[in-house]
Amino acid sequence: MIHAYDPRTGESFGEPIAESTDAEVDAAVEAAHAAAPAWRAAARPEVLEAIASALEANVEELWTVADRETALGETRLRGEVARAASQFRLFAEVLRDGGHLEAVISRQADVRRMNHPLPGVVGVFSASNFPFAFSVAGGDTASALAAGCPVVVKAHPAHPLTSELSAGVIRSALPDPALLGLVHGLAAGKRLVQHPDVVAVGFTGSIPGGKAIQALIDERPEPIPFFGELGSVNPVVVLPSAAREGLASGFAASLTLGTGQFCTNPGLVFVPDDADLVASLGTAVAGSSGSAMLSERIRQGYLDGVERLAKLTLLAEGAQGEAAWAVAPRVFTIDLAAFAEGLPAIAEECFGPSSIVVTYGDAAELPSVLERLEGSLTATVHATDVDEARPVAEALARRAGRLIWNGWPTGVAVCWAMHHGGPWPASTAPAHTSVGAMAIRRWVRPTAYQGWPSELLPPELRDDNPLGVPQRVDG
Amino acid sequence: MIHAYDPRTGESFGEPIAESTDAEVDAAVEAAHAAAPAWRAAARPEVLEAIASALEANVEELWTVADRETALGETRLRGEVARAASQFRLFAEVLRDGGHLEAVISRQADVRRMNHPLPGVVGVFSASNFPFAFSVAGGDTASALAAGCPVVVKAHPAHPLTSELSAGVIRSALPDPALLGLVHGLAAGKRLVQHPDVVAVGFTGSIPGGKAIQALIDERPEPIPFFGELGSVNPVVVLPSAAREGLASGFAASLTLGTGQFCTNPGLVFVPDDADLVASLGTAVAGSSGSAMLSERIRQGYLDGVERLAKLTLLAEGAQGEAAWAVAPRVFTIDLAAFAEGLPAIAEECFGPSSIVVTYGDAAELPSVLERLEGSLTATVHATDVDEARPVAEALARRAGRLIWNGWPTGVAVCWAMHHGGPWPASTAPAHTSVGAMAIRRWVRPTAYQGWPSELLPPELRDDNPLGVPQRVDG
C-alpha cells in the first residue's frame, strides 16, 4: 500500500492507495493504446485548453491536497498549478502553429516527410519535487498528449493523492479517460517500461533510477527511446567584475527555494578568493531557514549528502525549521585546487539546500576545471565585463544546456526558446528538452512517403496544403 | 593485420594494414578533438564543396580500388562516388540555409536557443555494402563534419584500401587533416566508442554489432548518443488491385541489385494467392544471376540464412555467378497463416539476395500480421485502388520509416525530405535519419541563453541577425 505523508508532522494520513498489480498496469496501457487512434484524429488544441481550464478551476482542491503531501505552501503550489495549465496552453499553440510536424517536400525525388506521434503509449515517471509541473499534470504528460500519444503515469510515492486528484481533473477534460492512465508502485513502474505498447519513456529523477530504467529498456525485445532528466549541479561562476550588490541574498534565496528541492538548484558557486564576499555568502545562508523536505527518504538523502561534504569547511548553516522532516541549509567552502583534486566525486549532486563555494585566485584557472564538471541543466555567469566572461562562458557551454547571465538557475520559463536538458547526467538525450515548446519532439518520429498517392497522404503533405501548415518545399 | 581481399578470386592482395593500437586510436581522437574549435569557426560550406570536388576528381582511382575490394562494378561504384559527393554538397546547402540551427527567441523570458555541434569527436563505424556512400566518405562523415564535429572512422575490414584512399582524398580538401581520423580493427572500434572525447557514435551494421556498441556506451562514465542502423526486412505488399505488368522483373531486379547487399533489400513480399503471379516471381528470380558477396563472412552469413529458410518451400533459385564468393539468389514461399505462426523468427533479415514470398487469400488478414513485423527502414505497397491500400498502409506506417508506392525499396534519394530510419532494429534512434538533410541533427544539441549579453551571443541569436539565419521570434 502507498500511504500519503504530511512532511510537517511525519504522519501518514488519508486512505492508503494499493500498489497497482501487473494486470492493472497492463489494463491501463492497453486501454490507453486502444484510445490512441481516436486521439490522433481529435481536435487536440481545444482539449489541451480544456485541461488547462480544468486545472485552474480546481486549483483550490489541488493546492490544498498537494500542500498536505508536500508542505510546499500555498503561494508556490498555486503558482505551480498555473504553470501546469500554461504548459497545456503552450502545446495548444504549438499544435496550431504546426511547425513541430516539420513537413518537408522534395518534389524531384517525390519524397515527402513529416512527423507523426509515436504509435503507442508514452510512459511517464513523475518527479517528487514538482507535484504539478513535473508530475501527472506536468510537461511530459502535456507534451505527449499534444503529440498525439496517450500517457500512463507512474505516480511519485511522495504525493499519491495529488496524483490521483490531478488525473481525475485532467480526465474530466479528455474525450476518453483512458488517454491518461495512472499506476502506483515500483513494480508497476517496471511493468510499464516493459509493456510492448509503450513506445517511449519520460523520467525525472535520480541517476540510479534512470540507469535502472535504461537497463529495463535494453532488455525489451524492441528497445524504445528514453528521455531521462537525472541530476545536475548547476555551477555558478562569479567573476571578479561581478556586481556584489544582491549577490549573497540572491544566492541564499535560490539555494533555499522550495527547501533546495530543484533540479536547477545552485550546487556549486565559484567566487574570487575574497574574504568579505565569501563571508557575505555565509551570512546570507546563516540567516536563512530550512523547512520540510518532500519525503523521509529525500531528507535522509540530503543528510547523507551533507555528511559526505563534511570533510570540506562548513561555511554556514541556516536554521532548521520546525517541521518533522525539516533540514537546515548548509554551505561548504574549499579552494579551487583542492576542489579540482576531489573531482568528480566532490561535485556529486546533493539534492536539497546545500552548496559548495569554491574560491579561486585567478579566473584564468577556471575553464580547465569547469570543463571537468559533469553535465548540468544550467550554468550561470555573474560578471559585468563580457571579455572577462568569454573563456568561462565557452567552457560552461560545453557542460550545460542553459546559460544564465547575472541571474540564478532556479526558475525555468515555459516558452518556445527554453532548453531544459544538457549533457549526461542532466539528460539521457541531450538534444532534447523536457520544458518548453520543443519538448513535443520527444514523442514524434518522421515518416517519409515516396511516390505516394495524394489521396493517401496526410493533408499536411499535400500540394494544396489544406491545413496551411508550414511546409519546406524543395529545400 | 587487415588484408584486402578480391571477392572475385577470394585472394588477398596489396600490402596489409596494421590494426590500430590503443595509442593510435587515442592519438587520432585527440588530434581530431584539438582541431575542433578551428573547424567550428571555419567556412564549412566551402570546405564541404571542396571535398565533393576532390571525390569527383579522384573517381578513377576510387572506383578502381573499390571494385577490386568489393566486386561491385564500375557503373555502381562511379555512381556511388557521385552520390557521396552529392551528400557533401547537400550539407553545404543545409549550412547556408541555416534552418538546422533552429534559432528560437522568446523575448519576454529573454531566452534564446539554437543548436551547436556536439562538443567533441563523432565516431563512425562504416558499412560493408556501400564503400563510399556509407563508409569513410559517407553520410555520417559528411553530416558530422557539416555539423561542426571532427570525425574518426573505424574502417570496415571488407574495404581497407578504399577506406585509406577515401580518407586521403577528403583530407586533401580539409583545412586540417586531423579532422578526419581513420582506424582499423575491432579493438580500435571499442577503444573509439569509449574515448572520453567521443561525443556520439554513428553505426551501420548488424544487430549484434549494434548491441555490442550500446553495451560499450552504457559502460562509459558519460553515456553518449548512439545512432545505429541495424537491420531491416523491408516488407512489400502487392494488393489484388496492383498492376501485374513489370512486377516480377522489378522484384527480381531490386532483390539482386548489388547481390542483395542493401539495407533496403525487399526481404518479404506479400502477394495474392495466385499461382500465375507467384510463378512469375519465381521465373524472374530463376532467370537472375548472383555475383560475389563483399566478404567471406558476409557470404557465410547469407548461406546460413538461406539454410535457416530451407524449411520453407523453395520457389526459385537464380544462377550462381563465377566469382569465388558468388552466391545464388533464392526466393522461398509460404502462406500467410504459416508465416504468422513462424513470427518473429521467420522474418529475421537474411542479408543478401533472398526473399520470402508470402501468399494471402484475403487482404483483410494482412494488417494484423504486418503490425507484428519488426521495424523496417521501408515498406512498400503495390496497388491501384487507394481505398484497398488504406488499412495496409496504416499498418505499415507503424513499422517503417519510409513508405513507397508502386516502387521498390532499394535506392535512397539524398534530398531534404528523405527519412532513412525506422523503429528498432531499423534504427536505434527512430526520430533520426542517416540519409538526407536532416541527418545533421544527430550531431547537434541546443543551448539556451538567458539574459545573455548581445556581445557574447552567437550572431545567429542576435536581434540584428547579421548572418540572416531563419529565426523564430516569440513563437
Side-chain angles (χ1 to χ4, degrees), chain A residues 169-252:
Chain A
V169 169
I170 294 170
R171 284 182 193 135
S172 73
L174 282 169
D176 182 343
L179 288 165
L180 179 64
L182 182 63
V183 298
H184 295 269
L186 202 61
K190 289 184 184 169
R191 184 85 178 179
L192 178 61
V193 170
Q194 299 210 298
H195 195 288
D197 291 341
V198 170
V199 288
V201 172
F203 171 85
T204 312
S206 69
I207 296 174
K211 284 186 172 171
I213 290 179
Q214 185 63 60
L216 289 168
I217 286 175
D218 289 344
E219 280 170 21
R220 288 176 54 113
E222 180 172 334
I224 52 177
F226 174 47
F227 301 96
E229 188 197 312
L230 308 186
S232 181
V233 294
N234 306 297
V236 175
V237 178
V238 177
L239 287 169
S241 73
R244 305 293 169 97
E245 179 80 27
L247 202 62
S249 59
F251 167 60

Side-chain angles (χ1 to χ4, degrees), chain A residues 97 102 402-403 441 448 450, chain B residues 102 402-403 441 448 450:
Chain A
D97 174 83
E102 301 181 332
R402 176 164 55 110
L403 299 174
R441 190 179 279 169
Q450 181 173 326
Chain B
E102 300 181 333
R402 176 164 55 110
L403 299 174
R441 191 180 277 168
Q450 181 174 326

Side-chain angles (χ1 to χ4, degrees), chain A residues 28-74:
Chain A
V29 172
E30 285 151 29
H33 194 59
W39 180 238
R40 290 194 283 261
R44 298 201 300 276
E46 287 71 19
V47 177
L48 298 177
E49 287 167 341
I51 293 171
S53 299
L55 290 167
E56 288 164 342
N58 289 278
V59 63
E60 287 296 328
E61 196 183 353
L62 286 166
W63 87 256
T64 312
V65 170
D67 187 48
R68 184 106 193 256
E69 288 189 316
T70 67
L72 288 171
E74 177 175 354

Side-chain angles (χ1 to χ4, degrees), chain A residues 435-452:
Chain A
V435 177
M438 312 289 255
I440 196 171
R441 190 179 279 169
R442 296 174 296 167
W443 322 120
V444 298
R445 69 158 197 234
T447 304
Y449 301 83
Q450 181 173 326
W452 206 246

